[in-house]
Amino acid sequence: MVKVSFNSALSQKDVKKDAETLIPEEDKQDVEAALPVHYQSRAWSWCMCLGLALMLSGVVVGGAYLYRYYVSEDPNVFVCGVDYREEDFMIQEEDEVMVDDLPNQFHLRQLEETIRVLTTEDVELISVPVPDFEEGDPADIVHDFQRRLTAYLDLSLNKCYVIPLNTSIVMPPKDLLALLVNIKAGTYLPQSYLVHEEMIVTERLERVDQLGYFIYNLCRGKETFKLQRRDRILGMQKREALNCHKIRHFENKFVVETLICEP
């Protein structure tokens, strides 16, 4: 009697081989291509992120350019500078006196500010940067001719001060706009002298929403105080020691130094 036996290892190998033959050639290629496709998808994601970043940067740069272009081209916005004499001396004509020929005691200072004139609203908006002299404060100023009020925001103190509008110092919006247009065209140069005014803090204002749109936007969320001119306060002596801050600005043919003091 002959005993027939099978090699199990050989049979398993044949079965495995037969199973591999059952897999179509296209499926084998798909399996082999799966790994490169995974890397390609990751590279595509990085490209998408980079593209989005470039697009966003382009939007930011373009927006900044448009903002700068339209603001600088606004016919009612002026960046002005004026030379003035610290000693309250009036210069009649620029051609008559050269800065290099002036003695030291007649040294000229320069004040720069940005002015926006809204003739329809009867409002003047002034921004004074950090001045070149030591004691002056940067400030934002609103002259509201409809409300007949002036508001100073001292940027160093972050405090607002409100006082009735002084029309003897502040030009009306239409006149100021005409002056600035002439200065820009070079047909007129402002006279360089200094006018002083002194203010005293009298009381704190709890509500600023009744002071008009522009002053409300300027003083909202800040300590706001009412001012009164010093020469109108009875019993106030010139020699009294006060805590004072000065703001120099111009909205006329001369520079004004507003001294704000707290008793």
Side-chain angles (χ1 to χ4, degrees), residues 17-62:
K17 184 176 181 180
D18 292 339
E20 292 177 354
T21 59
L22 295 177
I23 300 176
E25 292 295 331
E26 296 180 357
D27 292 345
K28 291 181 179 180
Q29 294 177 358
D30 292 341
V31 173
E32 294 174 354
L35 190 58
V37 168
H38 176 69
Y39 284 110
Q40 289 177 4
S41 63
R42 180 177 295 180
W44 175 252
S45 299
W46 279 107
C47 290
M48 285 289 293
C49 293
L50 181 59
L52 289 174
L54 292 175
M55 289 177 61
L56 289 175
S57 62
V59 169
V60 171
V61 172

Side-chain angles (χ1 to χ4, degrees), residues 81-85 90-102 108 110 183 186-192:
V82 58
D83 293 329
Y84 64 95
R85 199 178 289 269
M90 183 185 300
I91 298 177
Q92 299 294 338
E93 295 291 341
E94 186 186 44
D95 294 336
E96 293 180 2
V97 180
M98 300 299 294
V99 175
D100 294 337
D101 297 332
L102 293 174
L108 290 178
Q110 186 176 65
I183 293 175
T187 57
Y188 178 82
L189 293 175
Q191 297 174 343
S192 302

